[in-house]
Amino acid sequence: MAIATAALRAEGYRTSSNLPGHHAVTVDSLAFTMRVDKAVVAALNAWRRKRHRTAYEGVNISEHELAELITLVDKLRTSFAAWLRARHPEL
């Protein structure tokens, strides 16, 4: 969420936290701001939903799943840093 929000803000946009679904919109925006592959966006949205179930319904995730998420987010973080330097060096 933090990376998606930062990319959205860097491009001059923000979502309204008063509207339902703003987290999904924020994650989806990665396809337009950073041109993140739609499969990656879908995976991030799946993790966003899983985080919600974990926090509010007590669903657990395995260590293997956690390792997959860390790998996914680490790649996104690296891509974000390069994108930010190239597109918004002033930031």
Side-chain angles (χ1 to χ4, degrees):
M1 281 300 300
I3 292 169
T5 299
L8 197 57
R9 290 287 186 92
E11 291 289 289
Y13 300 101
R14 67 185 307 166
T15 59
S16 174
S17 60
N18 296 327
L19 298 175
H22 68 278
H23 286 168
V25 169
T26 301
V27 172
D28 288 343
S29 73
L30 285 167
F32 302 100
T33 56
M34 292 178 49
R35 305 294 188 248
V36 172
D37 184 85
K38 290 183 189 230
V40 173
V41 172
L44 290 167
N45 267 316
W47 276 107
R48 180 186 54 76
R49 289 187 299 275
K50 188 173 277 200
R51 187 217 58 90
H52 180 86
R53 288 193 314 270
T54 300
Y56 298 106
E57 299 170 17
V59 173
N60 292 322
I61 62 169
S62 70
E63 287 188 33
H64 175 73
E65 289 174 307
L66 181 58
E68 287 180 3
L69 176 59
I70 290 169
T71 299
L72 178 66
V73 172
D74 192 46
K75 288 178 184 177
L76 182 62
R77 183 179 51 81
T78 300
S79 294
F80 172 72
W83 173 84
L84 193 61
R85 280 191 304 275
R87 181 128 173 124
H88 297 284
E90 74 282 5
L91 297 176

